[in-house]
Amino acid sequence: MVAGIDVAAQVFRRRVPQCRVELRVKDGERVNAGTAMGRIEGPARGLLAVERTALNFCSTFPESRPSPRSTVERVAGTRARC
């Protein structure tokens, strides 16, 4: 599940204003492994300087909160209600 991609895109836009960001997925969307989530073009030095910060948002957001969908899936088949 995609989480934090909008924040990651903003990191690139703010720190490397001359870059171009094209997102191909949205936060909350389920994707398969290997799916291209977007494209970023700009000066290599600027992109490399902020790529780790941007990627950290994408890698920590999914762990920081359970999604409503995953909560519903966890209680499926039980008498619990969400």
Side-chain angles (χ1 to χ4, degrees):
M1 180 165 305
V2 177
I5 196 164
D6 292 326
V7 175
Q10 284 303 317
V11 169
F12 281 108
R13 289 180 180 125
R14 284 186 148 198
R15 301 298 297 158
V16 189
Q18 62 273 38
C19 78
R20 196 178 109 221
V21 179
E22 172 195 333
L23 299 179
R24 297 179 182 165
V25 297
K26 296 178 182 173
D27 275 341
E29 190 174 329
R30 286 183 179 243
V31 296
N32 294 321
T35 300
M37 297 192 303
R39 182 182 178 122
I40 302 168
E41 294 180 357
R45 179 173 282 183
L47 297 180
L48 290 172
V50 299
E51 59 88 18
R52 177 50 41 201
T53 301
L55 290 174
N56 283 342
F57 282 110
C58 289
S59 66
T60 59
F61 272 28
E63 298 166 6
S64 64
R65 62 180 163 73
S67 71
R69 180 179 286 153
S70 68
T71 302
V72 170
E73 289 171 354
R74 284 187 206 147
V75 299
T78 71
R79 294 188 317 207
R81 290 191 262 172
C82 295

